[in-house]
Amino acid sequence: MKIIVGDTASLTRVVTDADICAFAELSGDHNPIHLDEGYATTTRFGRRIAHGMFGASLISAVIGNDLPGTGSIYLGQTLRFVAPVYLGDTVTAHATVTKIRDDKPIITLECVCTNQRGETLIKGEAVVMVE
């Protein structure tokens, strides 16, 4: 597959309690803002939120599976967490090629996660080696 600037791919997922609990076990991050509804209601968010890196992991899935896909290797990723991801949100992770190096098989992608209302949740940029 020939990659060109402007190529894009995305992945959509509904965030479930099982996702958040599994991510907590995998990452070791048991912050009650993610797991304890009683605690979460006392915070500025008013309810449980997903781990920020859970949302970011959806970006990783797009890169590893679709664009550029199999064999791609992360070289770097910047992330800015703009808004919380709540249980039940439908999150779409988008990756768009913004730059292709001429001298090496390395591309840069704009990465954005949005929710079902079109609100931006996460913004960043990935640099990836293409196989």
Side-chain angles (χ1 to χ4, degrees), residues 17 20-21 24 29-37 48-49 51:
D17 177 64
I20 292 173
C21 291
D29 180 351
H30 294 91
N31 184 332
I33 191 76
H34 308 304
L35 303 170
D36 182 337
E37 190 66 41
R48 290 171 54 200
I49 60 173
H51 302 75

Side-chain angles (χ1 to χ4, degrees), residues 51-124:
H51 302 75
M53 294 308 289
F54 174 79
S57 73
L58 300 178
I59 294 169
S60 179
V62 171
I63 290 170
N65 295 325
D66 300 307
L67 183 65
T70 303
S72 57
I73 303 295
Y74 255 115
L75 299 177
Q77 174 80 59
T78 62
L79 296 168
R80 195 161 64 95
F81 300 97
V82 179
V85 175
Y86 294 104
L87 273 76
D89 275 353
T90 300
V91 177
T92 301
H94 309 268
T96 303
V97 177
T98 59
K99 181 179 176 186
I100 300 170
R101 285 191 46 178
D102 292 328
D103 60 329
K104 294 184 179 182
I106 295 173
I107 65 172
T108 301
L109 301 109
E110 175 188 69
C111 305
V112 179
C113 291
T114 57
N115 65 16
Q116 65 277 8
R117 293 178 297 282
E119 299 164 334
T120 298
L121 307 170
I122 301 170
K123 293 169 72 170

